[in-house]
Amino acid sequence: MTNPVIECQNVWHIYGGSVTAVQDVSLKIYPGEIIGIIGQNGSGKTTLVKHFNGLLKPTKGKVLVNGRDTGPMRVQELSASVGYVFQNPNHQLFARTVEAELEFGPRNLGLPEDEVIDRREKAIEFFGLEPLRHSHPYRIGFPLRKLVGMASVYTMRPAVFILDEPTTGQDNVTTRIVYRLIHRLRDEGSTVLCVAHDMILLAEVVERMVVMRDSLLIADARPREVFSDRALMGSTHLLPPQITELTLRLKEQGKLPQVSLSVSESLDVFAPLFGGKSEGGQA
Amino acid sequence: MSGEKPILEIKDLTFTYAGAETPALKNINLQIFEGEYVALLGLNGSGKTTLQLCINAVIPHMIMGDMEGSVTVQDLDTAEYPTRELAKIVGVVFDNPEFQLSQMSVAEEIALGLENLGVAVEEMNPIIHEVLDIVGLSGLGDRSPFELSGGQQQRLSIAAALAMRPQILVMDEPTSNVDPIGKEEVFAVAAKLNRERKMTVIMAEHEVEVMAAYANRIIVMDHGEVILNGTPTEVFSQLDVLEKAGLRVPQVTEMAYRLEHDRSAHWNSVYPVTTEEAFQRIAPLFGGKHD
């Protein structure tokens, strides 16, 4: 079996010697996994993922990245393999133009200049930043600034990509760019950790969900199982996507064997009820 | 609602920010009636915020630009009354709570607006108690606003707006910076004010499933224009128009639309917009037991 790319061994994080943010979390993340990390603000999810790129070190326990203990490692050493896109892009952006921002990472990795420019251009195209290439990152609106934050991490092509609330404040068009990013990262074999409250996004893109509550990891399962567990969802005040809620109500009445995670999935289930084509689905 | 007088009337409104080449709002005509819960949908930059700034008279008094047409709130033409006067009728809650909180305590935050209105100090306490009670923050008057959770901060912003006794509450993506518990809290308070106090609510929001459940009217903006205006069922049924404008519809509406259009299914009724509506349509089709 492949080795985990990230492994937490009984990780604790206690801020200022008194505030326990993460309690005894053990977790293995394998290369290529797409994982959602959910829970309320203050549940410990951001604290947990900040251990993966060395921004935080455990108070107790160990975090291994590619088998190496992060304890003695610096953020700079880890940033080539673990990219972290902050929830607030202001914590991350510093260059004077979007172009310069997108060149910084690859140049810092020591890549040749033509590769630096190539990565910059690919990121501009993928994230739709062409009209903003000469703008100062702080002079563009918050949602687009977040895309610049994602783009700048993408230029580094880290093996592990951590997205913290990527769709917060985004409208449907920019949210779609986030979907495409996660799909592309999956196709490229990257490991993606997505900390999010956006259940529609998670239901459609992740294969595994880690649920945090009050500094504890309380569940680690497939999204279909997590969303079907009303007690679990209720205890974290999270609501499943509307289509999942609908199919969950039908499942609870014994009418459906399992919930749907997306509208597309639900079409296969419902089409036959209305004399429509099931298109070889699961109906 | 015919015959009734609108609480807000917008006529032929066009607004261009100073220095901008194209108008941010183009020929807007709207009538909003007392007690309505109106959701404003549109992409970032479609004109939702500009429209809200016209309703509370920040435009044209505090933001430079070229305004044509008129905005009338409770018979007051906003061009003729200062923003301060309109604040008694239109309360505003922005997307980022920290943006509008500045005081040392929750109570002072509310007192600030009252002071600006010239309310005597001895009259403030009962008002502060009342509005904190409405938003569920009783007993937190002495706390620092910055110790509150995101949801509590937004409810404080609502309380501060309520202290001015507005009849219209304008909210600009009030939950975009709060977590799911906070979202629930903010939506619940807005719904309660609308239901129990006939407060007119005008909320810009991206979460279409939530707006389908709460709003009685949906107004869709695209490139500065109102492109759709109707009940949630009327508006969300126009899925093709909304998609062209880059917007989504509630998942259950998309499901029904795609069953008809992509799967030759016979939905044979209006599209659902809420989970409950979809459930009522679908559950009986399975036969057997249903409750």
Side-chain angles (χ1 to χ4, degrees):
Chain A
M1 187 158 188
T2 31
N3 293 318
V5 59
I6 290 171
E7 181 170 3
C8 298
Q9 296 175 345
N10 305 99
V11 169
W12 290 69
H13 196 93
I14 302 166
Y15 287 110
S18 60
V19 181
T20 304
V22 168
Q23 254 189 90
D24 201 24
V25 167
S26 293
L27 180 68
K28 286 179 184 172
I29 295 166
Y30 292 92
E33 283 198 293
I34 312 291
I35 300 179
I37 300 180
I38 66 173
Q40 289 299 314
N41 289 358
S43 61
K45 49 194 199 317
T46 294
T47 299
L48 180 66
V49 297
K50 281 186 176 170
H51 285 79
F52 301 163
N53 74 336
L55 278 173
L56 293 175
K57 302 292 169 65
T59 312
K60 274 191 276 180
K62 254 187 209 173
V63 175
L64 308 177
V65 173
N66 289 319
R68 285 180 66 195
D69 186 348
T70 61
M73 291 172 79
R74 293 178 309 137
V75 179
Q76 290 87 330
E77 283 177 80
L78 284 160
S79 66
S81 45
V82 183
Y84 182 76
V85 181
F86 282 83
Q87 177 174 2
N88 185 343
N90 299 351
H91 295 163
Q92 178 181 346
L93 303 176
F94 51 85
R96 293 162 67 133
T97 65
V98 168
E99 277 192 348
E101 192 70 58
L102 301 180
E103 290 165 16
F104 180 81
R107 199 167 281 141
N108 209 33
L109 289 177
L111 294 169
E113 200 55 22
D114 55 343
E115 175 70 14
V116 171
I117 301 303
D118 184 56
R119 288 195 179 187
R120 178 192 79 197
E121 289 308 303
K122 283 191 169 130
I124 283 176
E125 194 199 337
F126 185 81
F127 290 92
L129 300 173
E130 184 61 47
L132 302 170
R133 65 161 68 230
H134 301 298
S135 304
H136 193 294
Y138 284 88
R139 304 200 65 165
I140 59 185
F142 188 85
L144 290 170
R145 206 181 310 154
K146 273 184 92 148
L147 290 186
V148 175
M150 281 174 225
S152 72
V153 173
Y154 182 65
T155 58
M156 313 260 288
R157 304 285 191 276
V160 179
F161 212 99
I162 303 173
L163 294 162
D164 200 347
E165 293 292 347
T167 58
T168 301
Q170 304 286 359
D171 61 34
N172 188 43
V173 167
T174 47
T175 294
R176 285 283 139 198
I177 295 175
V178 177
Y179 277 68
R180 285 208 299 277
L181 170 66
I182 296 175
H183 285 133
R184 169 174 286 200
L185 293 171
R186 184 185 58 199
D187 294 345
E188 291 174 352
S190 306
T191 307
V192 181
L193 304 177
C194 189
V195 177
H197 297 310
D198 182 342
M199 296 300 142
I200 295 178
L201 168 77
L202 295 177
E204 288 191 16
V205 303
V206 309
E207 295 141 9
R208 177 178 167 193
M209 274 166 92
V210 169
V211 187
M212 300 280 298
R213 189 184 66 215
D214 300 335
S215 73
L216 295 165
L217 191 161
I218 58 164
D220 180 353
R222 296 187 165 275
R224 213 179 297 277
E225 291 160 42
V226 172
F227 286 136
S228 301
D229 188 339
R230 277 202 196 277
L232 174 65
M233 293 293 288
S235 79
T236 57
H237 293 263
L238 297 169
L239 296 171
Q242 192 184 35
I243 203 73
T244 310
E245 172 64 26
L246 171 67
T247 48
L248 179 57
R249 284 180 65 180
L250 294 165
K251 176 178 182 274
E252 284 167 343
Q253 294 200 351
K255 297 177 196 299
L256 289 178
Q258 63 173 20
V259 298
S260 297
L261 294 176
S262 65
V263 172
S264 306
E265 250 186 49
S266 75
L267 297 182
D268 290 340
V269 179
F270 294 138
L273 296 174
F274 296 93
K277 293 174 284 195
S278 74
E279 290 195 355
Q282 48 199 294
Chain B
M1 308 224 182
S2 56
E4 197 187 329
K5 236 169 116 83
I7 192 167
L8 166 67
E9 180 153 34
I10 299 176
K11 276 190 185 159
D12 305 321
L13 173 66
T14 295
F15 180 77
T16 311
Y17 284 100
E21 284 169 17
T22 50
L25 296 175
K26 291 176 213 161
N27 196 29
I28 308 279
N29 284 285
L30 284 175
Q31 290 190 325
I32 303 220
F33 295 89
E34 189 184 5
E36 282 202 277
Y37 191 132
V38 180
L40 273 181
L41 302 182
L43 295 181
N44 296 331
S46 61
K48 306 189 299 288
T49 299
T50 307
L51 182 64
Q52 292 187 323
L53 294 174
C54 289
I55 295 170
N56 72 349
V58 165
I59 293 175
H61 298 294
M62 296 163 81
I63 291 179
M64 304 287 285
D66 178 29
M67 177 171 155
E68 290 164 40
S70 67
V71 177
T72 311
V73 178
Q74 278 287 53
D75 294 330
L76 303 180
D77 184 336
T78 59
E80 290 165 25
Y81 286 83
T83 312
R84 195 161 42 89
E85 280 301 306
L86 265 299
K88 294 177 199 164
I89 306 173
V90 183
V92 184
V93 177
F94 294 105
D95 57 344
N96 191 344
E98 289 178 23
F99 186 61
Q100 51 194 333
L101 300 176
S102 60
Q103 301 298 300
M104 299 292 284
S105 76
V106 165
E108 286 171 61
E109 203 64 64
I110 294 166
L112 180 70
L114 294 172
E115 250 171 56
N116 290 344
L117 286 190
V119 174
V121 175
E122 58 274 17
E123 289 169 26
M124 286 185 185
N125 262 335
I127 300 176
I128 293 169
H129 275 117
E130 186 200 340
V131 295
L132 286 180
D133 184 51
I134 293 171
V135 300
L137 291 178
S138 292
L140 299 184
D142 296 331
R143 287 276 194 91
S144 160
F146 299 97
E147 288 170 21
L148 303 180
S149 72
Q152 288 173 326
Q153 286 181 341
Q154 275 307 50
R155 284 185 287 148
L156 171 56
S157 300
I158 295 172
L162 291 180
M164 325 281 271
R165 304 276 182 243
Q167 286 150 296
I168 302 176
L169 197 55
V170 167
M171 305 173 91
D172 193 1
E173 298 184 33
T175 71
S176 67
N177 287 296
V178 299
D179 67 4
I181 295 181
K183 277 182 206 255
E184 261 177 49
E185 293 169 354
V186 171
F187 287 132
V189 166
K192 186 175 99 172
L193 287 167
N194 174 254
R195 206 173 45 238
E196 294 175 7
R197 292 170 185 255
K198 277 193 91 179
M199 178 78 74
T200 306
V201 174
I202 302 174
M203 187 185 291
E205 181 57 57
H206 290 302
E207 296 206 18
V208 289
E209 282 85 1
V210 178
M211 289 299 99
Y214 285 118
N216 70 299
R217 176 133 61 126
I218 309 273
I219 290 171
V220 183
M221 301 198 61
D222 183 28
H223 291 98
E225 293 179 75
V226 170
I227 58 165
L228 291 171
N229 176 4
T231 64
T233 306
E234 288 164 357
V235 167
F236 290 131
S237 299
Q238 309 269 327
L239 182 135
D240 43 349
V241 178
L242 287 157
E243 282 193 342
K244 240 179 250 159
L247 298 168
R248 42 183 297 270
V249 300
Q251 286 189 316
V252 295
T253 316
E254 185 191 346
M255 178 262 300
Y257 181 95
R258 287 178 57 188
L259 282 174
E260 276 203 345
H261 288 77
D262 303 349
R263 303 293 181 102
S264 321
H266 308 289
W267 185 264
N268 287 346
S269 51
V270 295
Y271 295 145
V273 296
T274 62
T275 313
E276 182 61 26
E277 286 169 11
F279 183 81
Q280 292 304 333
R281 176 76 179 93
I282 290 174
L285 301 177
F286 282 93
K289 69 178 169 90
H290 47 85
D291 28 338

